[in-house]
Amino acid sequence: MIVSTRQKDHDADIGKYGEKNKEWKKGVKKDEVERSKKEHEQGGNRGQDGEQDRKAEGEEDDKEKRRQEAAERRMKLARLREQQANLLKERKKHEARERFEKKRKASMDKHSPSKKQKLSSDIFDKLPLYTLSDVELAAHFGMKPNDVHGIYNPLGDGECGWRSVALVEYGKEDHYDAVKSAMTGVLVQNTKFYDEKLGIDVDNLTRVLKKTGRIDQGDWFDTVDCPQLVADLFSRPVVIYTSVFSTTFLPFSSTEERVVDQPPIVLWLRGGDHFNAIIVKEEAVARIKWPAIYPGYSCIIEKNGFSRKWLELYSSRCKSIFISLNYGYQEGLP
């Protein structure tokens, strides 16, 4: 068989084309493999990035949780400190009340007469008491004749205020010096309380209480500081009647055990220059409408943790305001 030159060339071309086609397919396949590999690597990178993002979010959540827990711990610690501070404050108040009570009792034991007489109506019946008319009692004090044993007029030597207190408390006005000594003891031992809480001039009042001999008008029993001190000393209310104002002074008692509902010590500054003692019957205490309680008493007992028992007893017994005109008393607005 004779093959032409053209046929040989044609076959050669086909052979070359087949080889090129094979090479092209190999190249395409290689490109596909490389592209697939790249896509796989990119997908892996995206997965790693997502995992890193999730990890970062988790770490941020943990940080926020730790911040909240730390804030809660700080709040709990602050509350605990506040509770401890309040407990310490209450303990100090309790200790201060105990010291106040101990000093008051020690002063009474030291300066009071050795045998205090228990007062009764029989004892008062033996005293030289005088009385006022029904109209005068009602006008001056809002009392009735059967409310009182009578009125006692002590010696007018400048000691009449303390003499009146001694008469009501001990049954004898001559024990006025014991009253002054006991008042001095309570005042000196509780200087901080009377100075800072009540605004009493402790140095001046101590000088007044220690003074003997001739007593000038400036050293008489006053109508504000002395009544409060007497109320605290004997743990019983003190009522002051004057032509200018009238007031009920309640004791500052540390415990309710010391609150005994007995007749108050009632002092009348008659004529503006001489104290008399009004002896009130025990059964009349609850029915008499007493003068207003000294301003600020409620606030002081709340701030210092004193017993409220006296306030509960006398808040309904006392008028709110007294207006005094020539010894005539009118009740003010409720």
Side-chain angles (χ1 to χ4, degrees):
M1 178 181 295
I2 300 173
V3 180
S4 65
T5 303
R6 180 176 295 181
Q7 182 66 33
K8 290 181 179 179
D9 292 338
H10 179 71
D11 294 339
D13 291 338
I14 291 175
K16 292 178 180 180
Y17 176 78
E19 291 178 357
K20 289 182 178 179
N21 189 37
K22 290 180 181 179
E23 292 178 357
W24 178 80
K25 287 183 178 180
K26 288 181 180 179
V28 170
K29 188 174 182 180
K30 184 178 181 181
D31 291 342
E32 289 178 351
V33 171
E34 290 179 353
R35 185 168 59 251
S36 176
K37 185 177 180 180
K38 288 181 179 179
E39 289 178 353
H40 179 74
E41 290 177 353
Q42 290 177 354
N45 292 335
R46 285 195 297 270
Q48 290 177 357
D49 292 341
E51 184 178 352
Q52 290 177 354
D53 291 341
R54 288 191 295 274
K55 185 177 180 181
E57 290 177 358
E59 291 177 351
E60 188 63 30
D61 292 340
D62 291 341
K63 288 181 181 179
E64 180 64 25
K65 185 177 180 181
R66 287 195 296 271
R67 283 196 292 268
Q68 291 178 357
E69 291 175 350
E72 290 178 358
R73 286 195 299 270
R74 287 194 296 271
M75 289 180 64
K76 288 181 180 179
L77 183 59
R79 287 195 295 268
L80 180 61
R81 288 175 177 172
E82 183 179 2
Q83 292 174 356
Q84 291 175 342
N86 290 335
L87 289 174
L88 180 60
K89 187 177 180 181
E90 289 299 321
R91 186 172 65 185
K92 287 183 177 180
K93 282 185 179 181
H94 179 71
E95 292 173 351
R97 292 194 298 269
E98 287 185 342
R99 288 195 299 270
F100 180 88
E101 177 63 19
K102 185 177 179 180
K103 291 175 182 178
R104 184 203 67 82
K105 188 176 184 302
S107 181
M108 285 193 65
D109 293 342
K110 180 179 179 181
H111 300 287
S112 299
S114 57
K115 291 183 179 180
K116 180 181 173 182
Q117 211 173 3
K118 185 177 180 181
L119 303 184
S120 65
S121 58
D122 294 337
I123 294 175
F124 289 126
D125 289 340
K126 297 176 182 179
L127 294 173
L129 305 178
Y130 72 93
T131 59
L132 298 176
S133 67
D134 296 5
V135 175
E136 289 175 315
L137 278 174
H140 295 357
F141 317 112
M143 300 179 186
K144 298 179 180 179
N146 63 342
D147 291 335
V148 299
H149 293 287
I151 303 174
Y152 183 81
N153 183 22
L155 182 65
D157 61 349
E159 306 276 13
C160 57
W162 292 284
R163 287 180 177 274
S164 296
V165 172
L167 185 281
V168 177
E169 185 66 22
Y170 301 126
K172 293 182 179 180
E173 67 169 281
D174 293 339
H175 288 321
Y176 71 90
D177 55 344
V179 173
K180 295 181 74 172
S181 296
M183 289 174 65
T184 302
V186 171
L187 182 64
V188 172
Q189 292 167 354
N190 298 281
T191 297
K192 185 175 181 180
F193 171 76
Y194 288 111
D195 178 27
E196 297 181 1
K197 306 300 182 182
L198 301 186
I200 293 178
D201 187 341
V202 175
D203 293 337
N204 181 64
L205 186 53
T206 301
R207 180 192 61 78
V208 169
L209 293 170
K210 290 183 177 181
K211 189 167 183 180
T212 58
R214 179 183 174 82
I215 306 297
D216 297 324
Q217 184 174 356
D219 299 326
W220 289 352
F221 188 100
D222 68 17
T223 56
V224 178
D225 296 338
C226 287
Q228 185 61 64
L229 198 56
V230 169
D232 295 337
L233 173 62
F234 297 112
S235 190
R236 61 190 298 185
V238 175
V239 178
I240 298 291
Y241 288 101
T242 77
S243 60
V244 180
F245 70 93
S246 298
T247 308
T248 298
F249 295 86
L250 300 179
F252 292 107
S253 298
S254 56
T255 60
E256 292 190 0
E257 287 74 14
R258 293 194 60 243
V259 179
V260 179
D261 192 12
Q262 57 183 323
I265 298 175
V266 184
L267 305 179
W268 174 27
L269 186 59
R270 187 171 187 177
D273 60 1
H274 184 60
F275 278 104
N276 282 200
I278 303 175
I279 314 301
V280 178
K281 293 180 179 179
E282 186 172 356
E283 61 270 20
V285 174
R287 65 173 177 253
I288 294 174
K289 204 66 176 177
W290 299 104
I293 298 171
Y294 189 74
Y297 178 82
S298 176
C299 180
I300 292 173
I301 63 173
E302 290 295 337
K303 287 185 176 180
N304 293 275
F306 289 119
S307 170
R308 291 181 54 86
K309 192 65 176 180
W310 282 117
L311 188 62
E312 293 171 357
L313 282 173
Y314 274 81
S315 59
S316 60
R317 297 177 182 177
C318 292
K319 297 181 179 180
S320 57
I321 301 174
F322 259 118
I323 301 175
S324 172
L325 299 172
N326 299 324
Y327 288 108
Y329 297 85
Q330 299 176 356
E331 186 178 0
L333 297 174

Short mmCIF file of all heavy atoms in Angstrom, two decimals, residues 30-84:
data_model
loop_
_atom_site.label_atom_id
_atom_site.label_comp_id
_atom_site.label_asym_id
_atom_site.label_seq_id
_atom_site.Cartn_x
_atom_site.Cartn_y
_atom_site.Cartn_z
N LYS A 30 -5.18 19.97 36.80
CA LYS A 30 -4.27 20.49 37.82
C LYS A 30 -4.80 21.80 38.41
O LYS A 30 -4.76 22.02 39.64
CB LYS A 30 -2.91 20.70 37.18
CG LYS A 30 -1.84 21.15 38.16
CD LYS A 30 -0.50 21.29 37.45
CE LYS A 30 0.58 21.72 38.42
NZ LYS A 30 1.89 21.88 37.75
N ASP A 31 -5.33 22.63 37.51
CA ASP A 31 -5.92 23.90 37.99
C ASP A 31 -7.10 23.65 38.91
O ASP A 31 -7.27 24.33 39.93
CB ASP A 31 -6.37 24.74 36.79
CG ASP A 31 -5.18 25.26 35.97
OD1 ASP A 31 -4.06 25.26 36.53
OD2 ASP A 31 -5.40 25.69 34.82
N GLU A 32 -7.93 22.68 38.53
CA GLU A 32 -9.08 22.36 39.37
C GLU A 32 -8.63 21.88 40.75
O GLU A 32 -9.21 22.21 41.77
CB GLU A 32 -9.95 21.31 38.69
CG GLU A 32 -10.68 21.86 37.47
CD GLU A 32 -11.50 20.78 36.79
OE1 GLU A 32 -11.34 19.60 37.18
OE2 GLU A 32 -12.29 21.11 35.90
N VAL A 33 -7.60 21.03 40.72
CA VAL A 33 -7.09 20.51 42.00
C VAL A 33 -6.57 21.63 42.86
O VAL A 33 -6.83 21.72 44.06
CB VAL A 33 -5.99 19.45 41.74
CG1 VAL A 33 -5.30 19.08 43.04
CG2 VAL A 33 -6.59 18.21 41.09
N GLU A 34 -5.79 22.53 42.22
CA GLU A 34 -5.24 23.65 42.98
C GLU A 34 -6.34 24.58 43.50
O GLU A 34 -6.29 25.06 44.63
CB GLU A 34 -4.26 24.43 42.10
CG GLU A 34 -2.99 23.66 41.80
CD GLU A 34 -2.05 24.45 40.91
OE1 GLU A 34 -2.47 25.53 40.42
OE2 GLU A 34 -0.91 24.00 40.69
N ARG A 35 -7.36 24.85 42.64
CA ARG A 35 -8.47 25.69 43.06
C ARG A 35 -9.23 25.06 44.21
O ARG A 35 -9.62 25.73 45.18
CB ARG A 35 -9.39 25.96 41.87
CG ARG A 35 -10.51 26.96 42.21
CD ARG A 35 -11.23 27.44 40.96
NE ARG A 35 -11.81 26.34 40.21
CZ ARG A 35 -11.34 25.92 39.03
NH1 ARG A 35 -10.27 26.50 38.49
NH2 ARG A 35 -11.91 24.91 38.43
N SER A 36 -9.46 23.75 44.09
CA SER A 36 -10.17 23.05 45.17
C SER A 36 -9.38 23.09 46.47
O SER A 36 -9.93 23.27 47.55
CB SER A 36 -10.41 21.60 44.73
OG SER A 36 -11.01 20.87 45.77
N LYS A 37 -8.08 22.97 46.31
CA LYS A 37 -7.22 23.01 47.50
C LYS A 37 -7.27 24.38 48.16
O LYS A 37 -7.37 24.51 49.38
CB LYS A 37 -5.80 22.67 47.07
CG LYS A 37 -4.82 22.57 48.23
CD LYS A 37 -3.45 22.17 47.70
CE LYS A 37 -2.45 22.06 48.86
NZ LYS A 37 -1.11 21.67 48.38
N LYS A 38 -7.23 25.44 47.28
CA LYS A 38 -7.32 26.80 47.82
C LYS A 38 -8.65 27.06 48.52
O LYS A 38 -8.72 27.66 49.59
CB LYS A 38 -7.13 27.81 46.69
CG LYS A 38 -5.69 27.88 46.18
CD LYS A 38 -5.58 28.93 45.08
CE LYS A 38 -4.13 29.02 44.59
NZ LYS A 38 -3.99 30.02 43.50
N GLU A 39 -9.72 26.56 47.83
CA GLU A 39 -11.04 26.76 48.45
C GLU A 39 -11.13 26.03 49.79
O GLU A 39 -11.71 26.52 50.75
CB GLU A 39 -12.12 26.24 47.51
CG GLU A 39 -12.33 27.12 46.29
CD GLU A 39 -13.36 26.56 45.36
OE1 GLU A 39 -13.83 25.41 45.60
OE2 GLU A 39 -13.73 27.25 44.37
N HIS A 40 -10.55 24.87 49.86
CA HIS A 40 -10.54 24.12 51.10
C HIS A 40 -9.77 24.86 52.19
O HIS A 40 -10.20 24.93 53.35
CB HIS A 40 -9.95 22.72 50.86
CG HIS A 40 -9.88 21.89 52.10
ND1 HIS A 40 -11.00 21.32 52.67
CD2 HIS A 40 -8.81 21.53 52.88
CE1 HIS A 40 -10.65 20.65 53.75
NE2 HIS A 40 -9.31 20.77 53.90
N GLU A 41 -8.62 25.38 51.74
CA GLU A 41 -7.81 26.14 52.72
C GLU A 41 -8.55 27.39 53.19
O GLU A 41 -8.54 27.72 54.39
CB GLU A 41 -6.48 26.53 52.07
CG GLU A 41 -5.55 25.34 51.84
CD GLU A 41 -4.28 25.76 51.12
OE1 GLU A 41 -4.22 26.94 50.69
OE2 GLU A 41 -3.36 24.92 51.00
N GLN A 42 -9.21 28.09 52.22
CA GLN A 42 -9.97 29.27 52.61
C GLN A 42 -11.13 28.91 53.53
O GLN A 42 -11.42 29.62 54.50
CB GLN A 42 -10.50 29.96 51.35
CG GLN A 42 -9.40 30.62 50.52
CD GLN A 42 -9.94 31.24 49.24
OE1 GLN A 42 -11.14 31.08 48.92
NE2 GLN A 42 -9.06 31.90 48.49
N GLY A 43 -11.80 27.82 53.23
CA GLY A 43 -12.90 27.38 54.13
C GLY A 43 -12.39 27.07 55.52
O GLY A 43 -13.01 27.39 56.53
N GLY A 44 -11.23 26.45 55.57
CA GLY A 44 -10.62 26.16 56.87
C GLY A 44 -10.28 27.42 57.63
O GLY A 44 -10.48 27.52 58.84
N ASN A 45 -9.76 28.41 56.87
CA ASN A 45 -9.42 29.69 57.52
C ASN A 45 -10.66 30.38 58.06
O ASN A 45 -10.64 30.94 59.16
CB ASN A 45 -8.69 30.60 56.53
CG ASN A 45 -7.31 30.07 56.17
OD1 ASN A 45 -6.71 29.33 56.96
ND2 ASN A 45 -6.79 30.44 54.99
N ARG A 46 -11.76 30.31 57.21
CA ARG A 46 -13.01 30.92 57.70
C ARG A 46 -13.51 30.22 58.95
O ARG A 46 -14.02 30.84 59.88
CB ARG A 46 -14.08 30.88 56.59
CG ARG A 46 -13.84 31.90 55.48
CD ARG A 46 -15.09 32.06 54.64
NE ARG A 46 -15.45 30.81 53.97
CZ ARG A 46 -15.00 30.48 52.75
NH1 ARG A 46 -14.17 31.28 52.11
NH2 ARG A 46 -15.39 29.35 52.20
N GLY A 47 -13.37 28.93 59.00
CA GLY A 47 -13.78 28.19 60.20
C GLY A 47 -12.96 28.57 61.41
O GLY A 47 -13.46 28.73 62.52
N GLN A 48 -11.64 28.72 61.14
CA GLN A 48 -10.77 29.12 62.24
C GLN A 48 -11.12 30.53 62.73
O GLN A 48 -11.14 30.80 63.94
CB GLN A 48 -9.31 29.06 61.79
CG GLN A 48 -8.81 27.64 61.57
CD GLN A 48 -7.37 27.64 61.06
OE1 GLN A 48 -6.79 28.69 60.82
NE2 GLN A 48 -6.82 26.43 60.87
N ASP A 49 -11.41 31.43 61.76
CA ASP A 49 -11.80 32.79 62.15
C ASP A 49 -13.08 32.79 62.96
O ASP A 49 -13.22 33.49 63.97
CB ASP A 49 -11.99 33.66 60.89
CG ASP A 49 -10.66 33.91 60.17
OD1 ASP A 49 -9.61 33.73 60.83
OD2 ASP A 49 -10.69 34.28 58.99
N GLY A 50 -14.08 31.99 62.52
CA GLY A 50 -15.33 31.90 63.27
C GLY A 50 -15.12 31.36 64.67
O GLY A 50 -15.71 31.83 65.65
N GLU A 51 -14.26 30.35 64.75
CA GLU A 51 -13.97 29.77 66.06
C GLU A 51 -13.28 30.79 66.96
O GLU A 51 -13.59 30.89 68.16
CB GLU A 51 -13.09 28.54 65.87
CG GLU A 51 -12.81 27.80 67.18
CD GLU A 51 -11.97 26.56 66.95
OE1 GLU A 51 -11.74 26.22 65.77
OE2 GLU A 51 -11.56 25.95 67.95
N GLN A 52 -12.37 31.57 66.36
CA GLN A 52 -11.69 32.61 67.14
C GLN A 52 -12.68 33.68 67.60
O GLN A 52 -12.60 34.16 68.73
CB GLN A 52 -10.58 33.24 66.29
CG GLN A 52 -9.40 32.30 66.05
CD GLN A 52 -8.36 32.93 65.15
OE1 GLN A 52 -8.57 34.03 64.63
NE2 GLN A 52 -7.25 32.22 64.95
N ASP A 53 -13.63 34.03 66.71
CA ASP A 53 -14.65 35.02 67.10
C ASP A 53 -15.50 34.51 68.25
O ASP A 53 -15.80 35.24 69.21
CB ASP A 53 -15.55 35.35 65.89
CG ASP A 53 -14.79 36.12 64.82
OD1 ASP A 53 -13.73 36.69 65.14
OD2 ASP A 53 -15.28 36.14 63.66
N ARG A 54 -15.91 33.21 68.11
CA ARG A 54 -16.72 32.63 69.19
C ARG A 54 -15.94 32.57 70.49
O ARG A 54 -16.46 32.81 71.59
CB ARG A 54 -17.20 31.23 68.79
CG ARG A 54 -18.28 31.25 67.72
CD ARG A 54 -18.89 29.86 67.56
NE ARG A 54 -17.93 28.89 67.04
CZ ARG A 54 -17.66 28.69 65.76
NH1 ARG A 54 -18.30 29.41 64.83
NH2 ARG A 54 -16.79 27.78 65.39
N LYS A 55 -14.67 32.27 70.39
CA LYS A 55 -13.82 32.21 71.58
C LYS A 55 -13.68 33.58 72.21
O LYS A 55 -13.74 33.73 73.44
CB LYS A 55 -12.45 31.65 71.19
CG LYS A 55 -11.54 31.43 72.37
CD LYS A 55 -10.22 30.80 71.91
CE LYS A 55 -9.30 30.58 73.12
NZ LYS A 55 -8.01 29.99 72.71
N ALA A 56 -13.53 34.63 71.36
CA ALA A 56 -13.41 36.00 71.86
C ALA A 56 -14.70 36.44 72.55
O ALA A 56 -14.67 37.07 73.62
CB ALA A 56 -13.07 36.95 70.70
N GLU A 57 -15.85 36.08 71.93
CA GLU A 57 -17.13 36.42 72.55
C GLU A 57 -17.29 35.72 73.90
O GLU A 57 -17.78 36.29 74.87
CB GLU A 57 -18.28 36.02 71.62
CG GLU A 57 -18.35 36.89 70.37
CD GLU A 57 -19.45 36.41 69.43
OE1 GLU A 57 -20.09 35.38 69.76
OE2 GLU A 57 -19.67 37.05 68.38
N GLY A 58 -16.86 34.47 73.96
CA GLY A 58 -16.94 33.72 75.22
C GLY A 58 -16.07 34.36 76.30
O GLY A 58 -16.47 34.46 77.47
N GLU A 59 -14.87 34.77 75.89
CA GLU A 59 -13.98 35.43 76.85
C GLU A 59 -14.58 36.74 77.36
O GLU A 59 -14.48 37.07 78.54
CB GLU A 59 -12.62 35.68 76.20
CG GLU A 59 -11.82 34.40 75.94
CD GLU A 59 -10.51 34.69 75.22
OE1 GLU A 59 -10.32 35.86 74.80
OE2 GLU A 59 -9.69 33.76 75.09
N GLU A 60 -15.23 37.50 76.45
CA GLU A 60 -15.86 38.76 76.85
C GLU A 60 -17.03 38.50 77.81
O GLU A 60 -17.22 39.24 78.80
CB GLU A 60 -16.37 39.50 75.61
CG GLU A 60 -16.87 40.91 75.88
CD GLU A 60 -15.79 41.82 76.40
OE1 GLU A 60 -14.61 41.60 76.04
OE2 GLU A 60 -16.11 42.75 77.17
N ASP A 61 -17.81 37.45 77.53
CA ASP A 61 -18.89 37.09 78.45
C ASP A 61 -18.35 36.71 79.82
O ASP A 61 -18.92 37.08 80.86
CB ASP A 61 -19.70 35.92 77.87
CG ASP A 61 -20.48 36.33 76.63
OD1 ASP A 61 -20.68 37.56 76.45
OD2 ASP A 61 -20.87 35.43 75.86
N ASP A 62 -17.25 35.97 79.82
CA ASP A 62 -16.63 35.59 81.10
C ASP A 62 -16.17 36.83 81.87
O ASP A 62 -16.32 36.91 83.10
CB ASP A 62 -15.45 34.65 80.86
CG ASP A 62 -15.90 33.27 80.36
OD1 ASP A 62 -17.09 32.96 80.54
OD2 ASP A 62 -15.07 32.55 79.77
N LYS A 63 -15.57 37.79 81.14
CA LYS A 63 -15.12 39.01 81.80
C LYS A 63 -16.29 39.79 82.40
O LYS A 63 -16.22 40.28 83.52
CB LYS A 63 -14.38 39.89 80.79
CG LYS A 63 -13.02 39.37 80.38
CD LYS A 63 -12.35 40.32 79.39
CE LYS A 63 -10.98 39.79 78.95
NZ LYS A 63 -10.33 40.71 77.98
N GLU A 64 -17.39 39.88 81.64
CA GLU A 64 -18.57 40.59 82.14
C GLU A 64 -19.15 39.88 83.37
O GLU A 64 -19.56 40.52 84.35
CB GLU A 64 -19.63 40.67 81.03
CG GLU A 64 -20.91 41.39 81.44
CD GLU A 64 -20.65 42.85 81.76
OE1 GLU A 64 -19.66 43.41 81.25
OE2 GLU A 64 -21.45 43.42 82.53
N LYS A 65 -19.16 38.57 83.32
CA LYS A 65 -19.65 37.80 84.46
C LYS A 65 -18.79 38.02 85.69
O LYS A 65 -19.29 38.20 86.81
CB LYS A 65 -19.70 36.31 84.10
CG LYS A 65 -20.30 35.44 85.18
CD LYS A 65 -20.37 33.99 84.72
CE LYS A 65 -20.97 33.10 85.80
NZ LYS A 65 -21.02 31.70 85.37
N ARG A 66 -17.47 38.03 85.47
CA ARG A 66 -16.56 38.27 86.59
C ARG A 66 -16.73 39.68 87.15
O ARG A 66 -16.66 39.89 88.37
CB ARG A 66 -15.11 38.03 86.14
CG ARG A 66 -14.75 36.56 85.94
CD ARG A 66 -13.24 36.37 85.85
NE ARG A 66 -12.67 37.03 84.67
CZ ARG A 66 -12.56 36.45 83.49
NH1 ARG A 66 -12.98 35.21 83.31
NH2 ARG A 66 -12.02 37.11 82.47
N ARG A 67 -16.98 40.66 86.24
CA ARG A 67 -17.21 42.04 86.71
C ARG A 67 -18.48 42.13 87.55
O ARG A 67 -18.51 42.78 88.60
CB ARG A 67 -17.30 42.99 85.50
CG ARG A 67 -15.96 43.33 84.88
CD ARG A 67 -16.10 44.55 83.97
NE ARG A 67 -16.89 44.24 82.78
CZ ARG A 67 -16.38 43.82 81.63
NH1 ARG A 67 -15.07 43.66 81.51
NH2 ARG A 67 -17.16 43.57 80.61
N GLN A 68 -19.54 41.45 87.12
CA GLN A 68 -20.79 41.45 87.89
C GLN A 68 -20.60 40.78 89.24
O GLN A 68 -21.10 41.26 90.26
CB GLN A 68 -21.88 40.74 87.09
CG GLN A 68 -22.33 41.51 85.85
CD GLN A 68 -23.38 40.75 85.07
OE1 GLN A 68 -23.75 39.62 85.41
NE2 GLN A 68 -23.89 41.37 84.00
N GLU A 69 -19.89 39.64 89.23
CA GLU A 69 -19.63 38.95 90.50
C GLU A 69 -18.81 39.82 91.44
O GLU A 69 -19.06 39.87 92.65
CB GLU A 69 -18.91 37.63 90.23
CG GLU A 69 -19.78 36.60 89.53
CD GLU A 69 -18.99 35.35 89.16
OE1 GLU A 69 -17.74 35.38 89.28
OE2 GLU A 69 -19.62 34.34 88.77
N ALA A 70 -17.82 40.55 90.90
CA ALA A 70 -17.00 41.43 91.73
C ALA A 70 -17.84 42.57 92.29
O ALA A 70 -17.70 42.96 93.46
CB ALA A 70 -15.84 41.99 90.90
N ALA A 71 -18.76 43.12 91.45
CA ALA A 71 -19.64 44.19 91.92
C ALA A 71 -20.55 43.71 93.03
O ALA A 71 -20.79 44.40 94.03
CB ALA A 71 -20.46 44.74 90.75
N GLU A 72 -21.09 42.49 92.88
CA GLU A 72 -21.95 41.91 93.92
C GLU A 72 -21.18 41.69 95.22
O GLU A 72 -21.70 41.95 96.31
CB GLU A 72 -22.55 40.59 93.42
CG GLU A 72 -23.57 40.77 92.31
CD GLU A 72 -24.09 39.42 91.81
OE1 GLU A 72 -23.61 38.38 92.32
OE2 GLU A 72 -24.97 39.43 90.92
N ARG A 73 -19.93 41.23 95.09
CA ARG A 73 -19.11 41.04 96.29
C ARG A 73 -18.85 42.36 97.00
O ARG A 73 -18.90 42.44 98.22
CB ARG A 73 -17.78 40.36 95.92
CG ARG A 73 -17.91 38.88 95.59
CD ARG A 73 -16.53 38.20 95.60
NE ARG A 73 -15.64 38.79 94.61
CZ ARG A 73 -15.53 38.37 93.37
NH1 ARG A 73 -16.29 37.35 92.95
NH2 ARG A 73 -14.68 38.94 92.52
N ARG A 74 -18.60 43.42 96.20
CA ARG A 74 -18.38 44.73 96.80
C ARG A 74 -19.63 45.24 97.51
O ARG A 74 -19.55 45.82 98.60
CB ARG A 74 -17.94 45.73 95.72
CG ARG A 74 -16.50 45.51 95.23
CD ARG A 74 -16.01 46.72 94.44
NE ARG A 74 -16.77 46.92 93.22
CZ ARG A 74 -16.48 46.37 92.05
NH1 ARG A 74 -15.42 45.57 91.95
NH2 ARG A 74 -17.21 46.61 90.98
N MET A 75 -20.80 45.01 96.90
CA MET A 75 -22.05 45.44 97.51
C MET A 75 -22.31 44.69 98.81
O MET A 75 -22.72 45.27 99.82
CB MET A 75 -23.21 45.23 96.54
CG MET A 75 -23.21 46.19 95.36
SD MET A 75 -24.60 45.91 94.23
CE MET A 75 -25.97 46.31 95.30
N LYS A 76 -22.07 43.38 98.79
CA LYS A 76 -22.25 42.58 100.00
C LYS A 76 -21.31 43.03 101.10
O LYS A 76 -21.68 43.14 102.27
CB LYS A 76 -22.02 41.10 99.69
CG LYS A 76 -23.11 40.45 98.87
CD LYS A 76 -22.81 38.98 98.62
CE LYS A 76 -23.91 38.32 97.79
NZ LYS A 76 -23.63 36.89 97.53
N LEU A 77 -20.07 43.33 100.71
CA LEU A 77 -19.08 43.80 101.68
C LEU A 77 -19.49 45.16 102.25
O LEU A 77 -19.36 45.40 103.46
CB LEU A 77 -17.71 43.91 101.01
CG LEU A 77 -16.54 44.32 101.92
CD1 LEU A 77 -16.38 43.31 103.06
CD2 LEU A 77 -15.25 44.41 101.11
N ALA A 78 -20.03 46.03 101.39
CA ALA A 78 -20.48 47.35 101.85
C ALA A 78 -21.63 47.21 102.83
O ALA A 78 -21.69 47.90 103.86
CB ALA A 78 -20.88 48.21 100.66
N ARG A 79 -22.59 46.31 102.50
CA ARG A 79 -23.72 46.08 103.41
C ARG A 79 -23.25 45.51 104.74
O ARG A 79 -23.75 45.89 105.81
CB ARG A 79 -24.74 45.15 102.75
CG ARG A 79 -25.55 45.80 101.65
CD ARG A 79 -26.76 44.96 101.30
NE ARG A 79 -26.39 43.68 100.72
CZ ARG A 79 -26.26 43.45 99.42
NH1 ARG A 79 -26.47 44.44 98.56
NH2 ARG A 79 -25.94 42.26 98.97
N LEU A 80 -22.30 44.59 104.67
CA LEU A 80 -21.77 44.00 105.89
C LEU A 80 -21.08 45.05 106.76
O LEU A 80 -21.27 45.10 107.98
CB LEU A 80 -20.78 42.89 105.53
CG LEU A 80 -20.12 42.16 106.72
CD1 LEU A 80 -21.18 41.48 107.57
CD2 LEU A 80 -19.11 41.13 106.21
N ARG A 81 -20.32 45.93 106.12
CA ARG A 81 -19.65 46.99 106.86
C ARG A 81 -20.66 47.94 107.48
O ARG A 81 -20.49 48.40 108.62
CB ARG A 81 -18.71 47.76 105.93
CG ARG A 81 -17.45 46.98 105.55
CD ARG A 81 -16.62 47.74 104.53
NE ARG A 81 -15.39 47.04 104.21
CZ ARG A 81 -14.55 47.39 103.24
NH1 ARG A 81 -14.85 48.44 102.48
NH2 ARG A 81 -13.45 46.70 103.02
N GLU A 82 -21.72 48.23 106.73
CA GLU A 82 -22.77 49.12 107.25
C GLU A 82 -23.46 48.48 108.45
O GLU A 82 -23.73 49.16 109.46
CB GLU A 82 -23.79 49.42 106.15
CG GLU A 82 -24.88 50.40 106.59
CD GLU A 82 -25.86 50.69 105.47
OE1 GLU A 82 -25.71 50.10 104.37
OE2 GLU A 82 -26.77 51.50 105.68
N GLN A 83 -23.75 47.18 108.36
CA GLN A 83 -24.37 46.48 109.48
C GLN A 83 -23.45 46.49 110.70
O GLN A 83 -23.90 46.72 111.83
CB GLN A 83 -24.69 45.04 109.08
CG GLN A 83 -25.80 44.91 108.04
CD GLN A 83 -25.99 43.49 107.57
OE1 GLN A 83 -25.24 42.58 107.96
NE2 GLN A 83 -26.98 43.27 106.72
N GLN A 84 -22.17 46.25 110.46
CA GLN A 84 -21.22 46.27 111.58
C GLN A 84 -21.13 47.66 112.20
O GLN A 84 -21.05 47.79 113.43
CB GLN A 84 -19.85 45.82 111.08
CG GLN A 84 -19.78 44.35 110.70
CD GLN A 84 -18.44 43.95 110.10
OE1 GLN A 84 -17.67 44.81 109.65
NE2 GLN A 84 -18.15 42.66 110.07
#
